[in-house]
Amino acid sequence: MLLLDHPRGNRITPARGDRGVDIRVPTPDGYDIYQVKRYNRPLTSAQVRDVEKSWKTFVSQTLPYLPVRSWTLAMPWDPTNTRLEWLQRLTAGTGLDIHWMGRASLDGMAARRPSLVDYYFGDGGQQVKRLMADVLRGGRDLPDGEAGQDLLEAVVDRYAALTAALNDVDPFYDYEFAIRVGRVAELSWEDTVREGTGAAFVHYRQLTDDRYLVMRLLALSAESQWLRPITAEVTLEAAAGSREQQALEEFIAYGVPFEGISGTVTRLSGPAGPSPAADAGQLAFIVVAEPDPERPDLEVRLLGRDGTVLHTLDLVEVRASRGLEGPGFWLSGTDPSGIAQFQFLLNGADRREVFRLDVSSPSGKTPAEVLPAMRLLADLAPDTALVLAVREGRAFSPVWQPEPDAVQAWAAQQVLLLEALKEIQKHSLRRVVVPPLETSPAQGLAELLLLGRLLRGETVEVTWTEVETRIGDGAALPAQEFSFVDVGLLQARLGDRVIDLGMKRQVFYRAARVADPAEAASAQVGDTVRLIPGTSNQAFITAISAAPEAPTAIADSE
């Protein structure tokens, strides 16, 4: 009753040492502490000593370290004046608000929560099961012959009534139901994980070929899942030496998530209604990234040979899990852009520590958000080291030495492209994202790299074999070798998008001649002629302002 009246309150597990605290409830002014005893008669001397021991433990082990506002002794017995005076003497000098919650107070709390009393001492538990089964049947007893709006209202009314009834009789969970279009088998993991965030239990059931039901249970208190646990028993199957066996061993030792392993649900307890699957299926264990008020912000650091920090990446979307056996735990997270996923298997029973790095494509992301992670990946080398640490604080994981692999070489190439794209973004009001690298032609990527250099103010020297140019007004084709400048718009091509950068591209050809002298003799203004290198095949490319027109020796670019 205390935990349901104070949903943010927590029960302290005695097996771990309760430090004289059974329940603690956070408030803006500090914690309210409850010491709960089951005594329902006048206290014996042994019971008095038990209360005094709990108080002394609280004063020595909790009060110095926790901002406490009040301390309450709760038991189903109303105190006498003598016992109240004893409690006042026992707790004197702490400055805390001291209370005795007796039988009358507890009876009043019980009167406000008849569903709780009925659940434990009456038919409440069975009533929850009956109502749940009715919901999961999909409301098959809807009236026949109704159509259109009448049928819709009947469905809505039925589920609203069932939800209200369940919420009235279940003291631990709130229920949400929804009927949706689609098939459960076609839902993605991302959809189901997002659906489950904040819920204690989510159940999907196919009702018809194109309709399915979603049921969500929301805990009414932080301790609902202790008061009425939701558990499942499963049998998992894996061949000796298989990938599945390794995955299950890591799940048992560290809590590493797995999916796609054959098995059968043999028993469910907690939410009445869902029944175990009759046949084997594919099972998965997933960990949802949710805020943990006890976990500090984390980062991944790349250290140089001398221990200096070369790069740091904030670790976001952090997920953590513990092994079923032993002290091992698993922690995973990504950099803010989501392209580098880090997994840490720590504190294994056999001192085995594992680090894993998975990299995804940066396509569709902005260069600025991807560059920090890509620069770290590009600098991975055998003489560097990766470590997990508290953000701007101390490291707490082993140091991992990267092994040479294709990731470092791939990332180094991507850094050049990302820096070019970042430079392009500086000159455009249109959003620049990384193109789909898997399908982009090499020539197109090379053009982007060249464009980045030009926008940084470089003059790029290239060689050429031939070029076509149009004869402009007032231009003449020399009979001998000549130099000329070609000027055109400076544009970035990203897939099927063309981005105008508000500048011009100037190419200076040091030595050129007309490929066909006969063509030169008859060429007119506006004609296109083909030029080839003369005594030099050098050309110099620069980016220039678009404001003034650049001089042209013989031609304007088309």
Side-chain angles (χ1 to χ4, degrees):
M1 290 188 293
L2 282 169
L3 291 169
L4 291 171
D5 274 358
H6 304 285
R8 297 177 59 213
N10 295 105
R11 168 186 175 265
I12 305 303
T13 305
R16 299 178 183 174
D18 62 13
R19 298 179 184 175
V21 177
D22 285 327
I23 293 175
R24 71 180 199 179
V25 177
T27 75
D29 303 323
Y31 284 87
D32 291 331
I33 303 298
Y34 294 85
Q35 180 63 225
V36 180
K37 301 298 183 184
R38 66 181 65 196
Y39 312 139
N40 59 358
R41 296 177 180 276
L43 299 181
T44 66
S45 58
Q47 291 169 345
V48 168
R49 289 194 298 271
D50 185 37
V51 174
E52 291 175 344
K53 178 182 178 182
S54 296
W55 169 259
K56 292 176 182 177
T57 301
F58 161 74
V59 170
S60 62
Q61 297 185 19
T62 297
L63 195 55
Y65 309 106
L66 195 71
V68 177
R69 182 178 72 166
S70 69
W71 185 89
T72 299
L73 178 63
M75 67 176 70
W77 179 67
D78 290 325
T80 62
N81 286 328
T82 301
R83 282 303 174 205
L84 283 176
E85 292 168 359
W86 159 78
L87 185 63
Q88 290 171 356
R89 290 193 303 271
L90 175 65
T91 60
T94 60
L96 302 178
D97 289 336
I98 304 297
H99 306 281
W100 186 307
M101 179 179 285
R103 175 66 177 266
S105 297
L106 296 174
D107 284 346
M109 294 172 65
R112 295 195 305 271
R113 290 195 175 272
S115 62
L116 187 67
V117 177
D118 188 44
Y119 186 87
Y120 281 114
F121 303 111
D123 189 40
Q126 292 303 314
Q127 191 175 358
V128 170
K129 292 181 180 180
R130 288 193 296 269
L131 288 168
M132 181 80 76
D134 202 4
V135 170
L136 295 176
R137 280 198 300 268
R140 292 176 183 170
D141 57 346
L142 288 170
D144 295 331
E146 298 195 35
Q149 187 65 27
D150 291 338
L151 180 59
L152 175 62
E153 290 180 359
V155 172
V156 172
D157 289 346
R158 172 154 186 77
Y159 275 94
L162 287 169
T163 302
L166 276 166
N167 290 337
D168 284 342
V169 299
D170 192 332
F172 307 109
Y173 298 99
D174 264 338
Y175 292 77
E176 291 182 352
F177 297 98
I179 296 178
R180 298 176 183 169
V181 176
R183 297 187 56 80
V184 173
E186 296 171 357
L187 297 179
S188 67
W189 274 119
E190 290 74 14
D191 292 336
T192 56
V193 169
R194 195 178 302 113
E195 187 93 57
T197 302
F201 184 87
V202 184
H203 177 73
Y204 297 83
R205 173 165 296 192
Q206 197 72 39
L207 299 177
T208 65
D209 286 342
D210 60 351
R211 297 288 190 277
Y212 66 93
L213 177 140
V214 182
M215 176 190 72
R216 286 164 44 92
L217 272 67
L218 307 175
L220 288 175
S221 82
E223 298 290 348
S224 287
Q225 294 179 71
W226 167 74
L227 295 165
R228 184 157 72 86
I230 298 173
T231 63
E233 291 182 4
V234 299
T235 299
L236 298 167
E237 302 170 3
S242 65
R243 175 195 65 82
E244 291 79 6
Q245 182 191 15
Q246 180 184 353
L248 288 178
E249 288 176 351
E250 291 184 349
F251 167 65
I252 292 170
Y254 298 95
V256 180
F258 65 81
E259 63 178 277
I261 294 183
S262 298
T264 305
V265 179
T266 57
R267 189 175 74 88
L268 286 172
S269 66
S275 57
D279 302 318
Q282 297 293 306
L283 296 173
F285 172 74
I286 58 178
V287 179
V288 179
E290 292 186 307
D292 182 349
E294 299 296 326
R295 183 173 57 230
D297 293 335
L298 302 176
E299 67 184 16
V300 174
R301 296 174 188 161
L302 182 66
L303 308 178
R305 181 184 304 176
D306 58 356
T308 57
V309 178
L310 303 178
H311 299 279
T312 62
L313 287 177
D314 289 344
L315 202 64
V316 299
E317 297 295 318
V318 176
R319 300 179 292 156
S321 178
R322 289 197 170 274
L324 303 183
E325 298 176 359
F329 69 94
W330 170 85
L331 188 143
S332 171
T334 70
D335 73 285
S337 74
I339 68 161
Q341 181 181 37
F342 302 91
Q343 292 191 66
F344 304 88
L345 282 63
L346 303 171
N347 204 33
D350 56 357
R351 299 295 181 184
R352 180 170 172 259
E353 312 276 3
V354 179
F355 164 73
R356 291 180 182 143
L357 171 64
D358 295 307
V359 179
S360 59
S361 171
S363 299
K365 301 181 183 295
T366 63
E369 66 178 327
V370 174
L371 265 169
M374 202 65 77
R375 285 175 176 145
L376 181 146
L377 299 175
D379 285 344
L380 291 176
D383 61 349
T384 62
L386 279 166
V387 66
L388 181 64
V390 174
R391 190 176 299 169
E392 298 184 358
R394 69 182 185 89
F396 62 90
S397 75
V399 173
W400 283 278
Q401 301 289 148
E403 297 181 0
D405 60 20
V407 170
Q408 187 272 338
W410 171 82
Q413 294 177 343
Q414 302 310 308
V415 166
L416 296 176
L417 175 62
L418 293 168
E419 288 177 342
L421 292 171
K422 186 177 179 181
E423 200 67 36
I424 292 170
Q425 181 67 87
K426 293 179 183 179
H427 293 79
S428 175
L429 294 177
R430 297 180 65 186
R431 181 179 175 85
V432 174
V433 298
V434 182
L437 305 177
E438 301 79 5
T439 59
S440 297
Q443 180 61 32
L445 298 179
E447 283 292 327
L448 292 174
L449 294 175
L450 172 62
L451 192 53
R453 296 177 63 187
L454 295 177
L455 292 173
R456 284 191 289 269
E458 294 184 38
T459 296
V460 180
E461 180 179 345
V462 297
T463 58
W464 63 289
T465 55
E466 66 174 57
V467 64
E468 289 186 346
T469 189
R470 182 175 57 84
I471 302 176
D473 292 336
L477 285 177
Q480 306 298 321
E481 181 179 290
F482 55 89
S483 299
F484 79 100
V485 173
D486 195 12
V487 178
L489 293 176
L490 193 65
Q491 296 176 323
R493 296 184 180 274
L494 297 172
D496 57 355
R497 300 168 65 209
V498 178
I499 299 177
D500 189 353
L501 300 175
M503 301 182 71
K504 289 194 174 183
R505 174 189 178 116
Q506 174 179 283
V507 185
F508 171 69
Y509 296 89
R510 172 168 288 179
R513 60 186 177 86
V514 179
D516 184 356
E519 181 183 20
S522 60
Q524 304 292 322
V525 172
D527 289 347
T528 298
V529 294
R530 185 168 61 93
L531 305 178
I532 58 175
T535 55
S536 172
N537 63 352
Q538 289 179 304
F540 301 89
I541 309 174
T542 55
I544 61 174
S545 172
E549 287 291 337
T552 303
I554 66 161
D556 291 327
S557 169
E558 196 167 346

